[in-house]
Amino acid sequence: MLQALYPAAAAVFPLRARDAKLKAARLFGLELEGLSPEDKEFELALHFTRFALDTARNALAAPGDDAAARVRSGLMQSARRHAPGLLRHGGR
């Protein structure tokens, strides 16, 4: 499952890089302008955590015996809800 979440994690971390923060904000559909650097990091971490948790829940609830297919399904469902930019950018 961690490999499936890598594209989203790579967009969020490291949070110190300004470009990474902007890219992650786009992936999660966030507007971070006007927030302090600490608040930006918190919002990104919060959204990524929700995304990852939802992905895990969806993967566990998905039917079938193929674990990789279940994780992909969970990731797609979670991306639609929490990270629409991940779908638009193909995880890049």
Side-chain angles (χ1 to χ4, degrees):
M1 183 174 312
L2 293 177
Q3 289 176 342
L5 289 173
Y6 178 77
V12 176
F13 300 103
L15 292 175
R16 290 175 186 24
R18 185 172 189 274
D19 289 342
K21 287 180 187 177
L22 293 174
K23 186 176 180 183
R26 284 192 300 264
L27 290 177
F28 292 113
L30 300 175
E31 177 55 55
L32 301 176
E33 192 171 321
L35 296 178
S36 71
E38 294 83 10
D39 287 341
K40 289 177 185 178
E41 289 184 17
F42 177 78
E43 285 298 319
L44 290 171
L46 179 66
H47 280 80
F48 179 77
T49 301
R50 288 178 180 161
F51 170 70
L53 180 60
D54 195 50
T55 297
R57 285 182 181 152
N58 290 335
L60 290 171
D65 295 329
D66 183 356
R70 292 174 65 184
V71 170
R72 281 191 300 275
S73 173
L75 182 61
M76 294 300 287
Q77 289 176 19
S78 184
R80 283 186 201 105
R81 182 174 185 181
H82 299 284
L86 187 64
L87 298 174
R88 284 191 297 271
H89 293 92
R92 296 187 212 310

